Amino acid sequence: VLKETSAFQVRVSPQYVADQSDPAKGYFCFAYHVNIQNEGPEAAQLLSRHWVITDGHGNVEHVKGEGVVGEQPVIEPGESYDYVSFCPLPTPTGSMRGSYKMLNEQGKKFEVSIPEFRLRCEMIH
């Protein structure tokens, strides 16, 4: 992993989405807001994502794809990019972590890691 990774900070805020979930059928929907901040000296384009999703039973799923929410944004120095996406789970708890593949202005690809965050359904009884 190239050192450019440290120029990008990724912050994630997950949230349980009760009205999209059906706990009786083992369907728990989580939304997560992602903020990608470019604190480095040059722009880079987000090419693809790789998520590692673990449910409450320890089952792991890898999700890879182009861009995020249908976009491959170029993030300029000092700028940030925000998006919201969703993750359904069969359990009320789980976690996600991953990485973004980026392309800098010199045509070099590098990875930015997405720190692990917990998904938790706060059900009111």
Side-chain angles (χ1 to χ4, degrees), residues 48-120:
S48 62
R49 68 191 182 282
H50 175 200
W51 287 107
V52 180
I53 304 165
T54 306
D55 71 18
H57 299 305
N59 298 313
V60 177
E61 182 184 357
H62 291 263
V63 177
K64 296 180 180 183
E66 297 286 304
V68 288
V69 294
E71 297 182 12
Q72 291 182 312
V74 172
I75 308 170
E76 299 289 337
E79 301 283 312
S80 64
Y81 179 79
D82 289 87
Y83 72 95
V84 175
S85 194
F86 296 88
C87 175
L89 284 181
T91 57
T93 60
S95 67
M96 290 177 68
R97 63 185 168 84
S99 61
Y100 296 121
K101 187 161 281 166
M102 309 288 286
L103 181 68
N104 72 12
E105 293 171 324
Q106 281 76 48
K108 271 199 186 127
K109 290 181 182 174
F110 63 98
E111 285 198 349
V112 172
S113 67
I114 305 163
E116 184 174 46
F117 58 95
R118 316 247 2 114
L119 302 172
R120 230 182 106 127

Side-chain angles (χ1 to χ4, degrees), residues 3-9 37-42 79 110 112:
K3 64 180 191 290
E4 284 105 322
T5 300
S6 60
F8 284 84
Q9 298 298 320
Q37 178 79 35
N38 182 353
E39 297 173 353
E42 64 180 14
E79 301 283 312
F110 63 98
V112 172

Side-chain angles (χ1 to χ4, degrees), residues 11-69:
R11 293 175 190 84
V12 185
S13 306
Q15 183 180 337
Y16 176 62
V17 186
D19 63 353
Q20 298 289 315
S21 300
D22 190 347
K25 292 193 170 124
Y27 186 84
F28 299 86
C29 184
F30 296 90
Y32 53 95
H33 172 261
V34 179
N35 171 267
I36 306 165
Q37 178 79 35
N38 182 353
E39 297 173 353
E42 64 180 14
Q45 182 177 19
L46 192 159
L47 298 177
S48 62
R49 68 191 182 282
H50 175 200
W51 287 107
V52 180
I53 304 165
T54 306
D55 71 18
H57 299 305
N59 298 313
V60 177
E61 182 184 357
H62 291 263
V63 177
K64 296 180 180 183
E66 297 286 304
V68 288
V69 294

